[in-house]
Amino acid sequence: MQPRQVSKLMAKKAAITRIRTLYAIFIGVMVLCIGLFFLNIINPADPLLTVQADGHDKDYGVIITDLHSSPGLYRQSHDVDGLPEGIEATATVRSFDVNITSDDSRQLDSSKARWCMWLQVFCVLAGIAMTILIVMALISFYINVRRGKVFPKKNIAWLAWAGVLMIVMSLGMDVSTYLEQSLALELLADSTWEPQVTVQIHHTRIVFGLTIVFMAEIFKIGRQMQEEQELTI
């Protein structure tokens, strides 16, 4: 075997070893997060609006999470007692989880509540599909590296779809949150508690999705250049 071929073989083995190490770290982090979630140490960032009435004397209810109230209520500061000498601390409430219950389901049934539920179900399914696509892309990438292919076509498509799903899922969550706030404002109208209705876009998730799409496009260009080089040779 020629020195050049030996060098290429060693480089390929080193690349495969690095990929295995990265995959092991990735799987370890995922397993850790899943374990912490089931141990109730970490929680999902976007809880679902659910229908329930457990623990209440009413038959029907909705839970609206992470809801901001009128400034006069949630910006009040509260002193924290029992601190060491010389230390002072105040706590400020920024948002609330609101349970709204009723004896009549029709009072809580509205198009906004239904749209919230459907959007949140869609976001869950989109998140599952995105995770499956990424896992499939990682497995396929490892297999193709061992075969000497760096930019397999199906990997590029899977990554692009994962990025698109991330963007759509993020926008769906933001619309659902807005509808939840609007629903709370309607149900609590004429009360002393006035929820805030704001349009919030979680740009971090969108930027992450755009980054995945951008990387897929770079891989596509790299694949085209690799094909052109192979045809030239």
Side-chain angles (χ1 to χ4, degrees):
M1 186 176 293
Q2 297 180 358
R4 186 176 180 181
Q5 293 177 332
V6 174
S7 177
K8 286 185 177 180
L9 183 60
M10 292 179 62
K12 181 179 178 180
K13 289 183 177 180
I16 292 175
T17 301
R18 289 198 300 270
I19 292 172
R20 286 177 176 174
T21 303
L22 291 173
Y23 281 18
I25 295 173
F26 174 77
I27 294 172
V29 171
M30 292 297 295
V31 171
L32 176 63
C33 290
I34 293 172
L36 293 176
F37 174 77
F38 281 106
L39 291 173
N40 202 28
I41 296 176
I42 60 175
N43 295 310
D46 299 279
L48 298 179
L49 178 147
T50 57
V51 178
Q52 66 170 23
D54 296 337
H56 298 280
D57 57 354
K58 305 294 184 181
D59 295 328
Y60 307 98
V62 293
I63 297 176
I64 301 177
T65 62
D66 196 22
L67 186 67
H68 290 264
S69 71
S70 54
L73 179 61
Y74 82 88
R75 288 183 180 175
Q76 292 182 0
S77 298
H78 306 275
D79 294 331
V80 179
D81 299 326
L83 295 173
E85 185 178 355
I87 296 179
E88 296 180 357
T90 55
T92 305
V93 178
R94 295 294 181 185
S95 64
F96 299 85
D97 291 342
V98 183
N99 296 344
I100 304 174
T101 59
S102 172
D103 291 324
D104 188 353
S105 63
R106 291 174 296 180
Q107 294 178 339
L108 303 177
D109 186 20
S110 69
S111 59
K112 289 182 180 179
R114 289 192 293 271
W115 271 107
C116 283
M117 291 296 296
W118 282 113
L119 279 173
Q120 290 167 356
V121 169
F122 168 77
C123 290
V124 171
L125 295 177
I128 294 173
M130 181 187 65
T131 303
I132 292 174
L133 285 173
I134 292 176
V135 171
M136 289 172 60
L138 290 173
I139 295 173
S140 179
F141 177 75
Y142 174 75
I143 294 173
N144 282 280
V145 166
R146 297 192 65 178
R147 295 175 179 174
K149 298 179 181 179
V150 183
F151 304 107
K153 187 176 181 179
K154 60 183 179 181
N155 276 32
I156 298 172
W158 289 342
L159 282 178
W161 275 109
V164 171
L165 284 174
M166 169 65 79
I167 297 171
V168 174
M169 181 181 67
S170 178
L171 293 175
M173 288 179 176
D174 294 333
V175 173
S176 175
T177 300
Y178 173 77
L179 292 177
E180 282 189 17
Q181 294 173 352
S182 301
L183 177 62
L185 187 63
E186 291 178 1
L187 294 175
L188 299 174
D190 301 326
S191 68
T192 58
W193 199 82
E194 182 182 356
Q196 287 185 336
V197 180
T198 57
V199 178
Q200 297 179 341
I201 303 296
H202 286 77
H203 63 279
T204 304
R205 290 192 296 249
I206 294 177
V207 170
F208 183 67
L210 289 173
T211 302
I212 295 176
V213 174
F214 181 70
M215 289 176 60
E217 190 63 25
I218 291 176
F219 291 155
K220 183 177 180 180
I221 295 172
R223 181 175 179 273
Q224 292 173 349
M225 293 177 62
Q226 187 182 37
E227 290 178 348
E228 292 175 357
Q229 186 178 11
E230 291 174 353
L231 290 174
T232 302
I233 295 175

